[in-house]
């Protein structure tokens, strides 16, 4: 089994915000015919997606962004998974709007959700897929908790679809193949 954790904040108040693009990717993957229904487990909403490569557990933590690590640790422990079976999807203010970046490991880069996951897993050796939400003009908190304007919405919607495809490549062919295919220009398409 592979686990994909999309980071975001629960509740209607945060729907459609920059910080919730991880949730948007999970929702996109869960909308297909091979996905089950969301259930409450591990302080999260989870559902199984069955692909040719096997089962993928889709996870949306309900602990709020800054406490995402608790949920991730519970899932990893329950299924006795190694970090190579984990992909975390999140927003990144250091990337241009819509740009994807896949990494095998790395620091949290100031992202509080990644910081908490790093603390709970005790390592930075887990894959992450970051979606660019652009740099803030003023305060970072207001920026990531803000919604996309209409011109940005089309770009981010396309990026969410591309990120969903990247997740499936990661699950079936591995992180290196995913990096090679999706770390290029933001208009790069799946083969």
């Amino acid at each position: 089994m592979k686990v994909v954790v999309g980071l975001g904040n629960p509740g209607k108040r945060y729907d459609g915000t920059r910080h919730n693009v991880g949730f948007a990717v999970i929702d996109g993957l869960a909308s297909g015919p091979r996905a089950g229904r969301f259930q409450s487990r591990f302080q999260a909403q989870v559902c199984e997606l069955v692909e040719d490569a096997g089962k993928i557990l889709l996870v949306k933590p309900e602990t709020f962004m800054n406490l995402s690590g608790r949920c991730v640790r519970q899932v990893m422990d329950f299924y006795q998974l190694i970090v190579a079976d984990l992909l975390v999807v999140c927003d990144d203010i250091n990337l241009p709007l819509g740009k994807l970046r896949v990494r095998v490991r790395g620091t949290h880069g100031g992202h509080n959700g990644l910081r908490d996951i790093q603390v709970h897993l005790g390592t930075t050796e887990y894959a992450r897929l970051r979606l660019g939400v652009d740099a803030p003009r003023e305060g970072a908190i207001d920026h990531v908790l803000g919604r996309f304007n209409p011109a940005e919405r089309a770009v981010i919607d396309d990026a969410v679809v591309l990120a969903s495809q990247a997740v499936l490549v990661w699950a079936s062919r591995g992180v290196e193949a995913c990096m090679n295919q999706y770390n290029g220009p933001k208009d790069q398409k799946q083969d």
Side-chain angles (χ1 to χ4, degrees):
M1 176 181 281
K2 302 284 188 183
V3 175
V4 181
V5 178
L7 299 186
N9 287 312
K12 293 282 184 206
R13 175 181 176 194
Y14 300 103
D15 281 351
T17 63
R18 294 171 191 273
H19 229 13
N20 276 34
V21 295
F23 277 14
V25 171
I26 296 296
D27 287 340
L29 289 164
S31 68
R34 300 178 114 193
R37 298 180 63 142
F38 278 106
Q39 299 175 347
S40 292
R41 293 183 73 195
F42 313 112
Q43 296 180 303
Q45 289 296 309
V46 301
C47 84
E48 281 188 8
L49 173 64
V50 179
E51 287 292 320
D52 294 336
K55 288 183 184 178
I56 305 170
L57 188 68
L58 305 174
V59 181
K60 297 192 310 183
E62 293 186 312
T63 55
F64 286 92
M65 182 69 74
N66 298 353
L67 301 174
S68 299
R70 287 192 302 196
C71 165
V72 173
R73 178 85 261 171
Q74 289 176 35
V75 170
M76 299 298 286
D77 288 348
F78 183 84
Y79 290 103
Q80 299 178 339
L81 300 171
I82 58 173
V83 290
D85 295 325
L86 171 67
L87 176 67
V88 176
V89 183
C90 66
D91 62 295
D92 191 329
I93 62 172
N94 297 310
L95 291 175
L97 185 70
K99 171 90 172 141
L100 303 184
R101 179 165 294 146
V102 182
R103 291 287 185 253
V104 177
R105 68 186 63 82
T107 65
H108 54 73
H111 193 286
N112 289 331
L114 294 178
R115 177 182 286 129
D116 197 57
I117 291 169
Q118 178 180 323
V119 166
H120 279 83
L121 294 182
T123 185
T124 60
E125 302 286 318
Y126 62 91
R128 69 277 324 263
L129 167 57
R130 296 175 183 246
L131 278 78
V133 295
D134 243 346
R137 289 185 177 78
E138 299 198 11
I141 293 173
D142 288 341
H143 181 70
V144 296
L145 295 180
R147 287 181 168 70
F148 297 98
N149 68 42
E152 295 171 323
R153 185 83 254 168
V155 173
I156 207 63
D157 287 348
D158 288 346
V160 165
V161 170
L162 200 59
S164 299
Q165 294 169 353
V167 166
L168 298 178
V169 168
W170 168 81
S172 65
R173 296 179 23 219
V175 69
E176 296 293 333
C178 188
M179 289 170 61
N180 290 337
Q181 192 164 337
Y182 291 95
N183 282 350
K186 72 177 181 181
D187 60 348
Q188 193 167 1
K189 301 289 185 228
Q190 183 177 5
D191 292 337

